[in-house]
Amino acid sequence: MKVIVDFCIIPLGGELSLTPYIAECQKIIAGMGLEHQLHAYGTNIEGEWEVVMDSVKRCHLRVHEMGAPRISTQLKIATRSDRDQGMVEKVDHVRDYLAKL
């Protein structure tokens, strides 16, 4: 099953800057061949359910390895059974609508 998630991982009790942790997660996600888009408060990830969820797990493991004793994560999950729709198409659809206003 294809899935799009909005993934926000927040290490607690580690470095003050989250940049090193986020960069590591971006490398993991990209290394798994997943479509993804970093945004100001997380990352959208698109792919097969099992692969996307594995990427989230790998990010957690890596962030703990980097010294964060606790992690708080927000994960929003979207699936469709009626048709295949990716992140780019969803955003383009709204932009097209706005252009007509």
Side-chain angles (χ1 to χ4, degrees):
M1 172 186 300
K2 189 171 182 179
V3 64
I4 297 173
V5 303
D6 188 24
F7 172 51
C8 178
I9 187 167
I10 304 170
L12 304 170
E15 297 289 325
L16 182 58
S17 172
L18 300 183
T19 300
Y21 302 108
I22 303 305
E24 282 294 313
C25 288
Q26 292 295 301
K27 288 176 11 184
I28 289 167
I29 295 163
M32 295 181 74
L34 293 165
E35 293 292 325
H36 62 287
Q37 296 176 346
L38 179 66
H39 56 85
Y41 195 65
T43 303
N44 293 131
I45 310 169
E46 176 181 343
E48 289 299 318
W49 180 281
E50 292 81 7
V51 181
V52 171
M53 294 308 161
D54 189 35
S55 74
V56 170
K57 179 180 178 182
R58 289 181 189 203
C59 288
H60 267 254
L61 293 172
R62 180 66 185 121
V63 169
H64 279 308
E65 287 173 357
M66 293 174 71
R70 296 180 65 196
I71 298 169
S72 176
T73 292
Q74 294 178 359
L75 189 65
K76 292 188 267 183
I77 302 169
T79 59
R80 287 192 76 152
S81 62
D82 59 334
R83 68 185 185 97
D84 196 19
Q85 183 183 41
M87 295 182 299
V88 173
E89 183 184 352
K90 289 172 72 77
V91 172
D92 287 347
H93 185 74
V94 174
R95 287 184 177 147
D96 290 345
Y97 181 85
L98 286 169
K100 295 174 187 174
L101 295 179

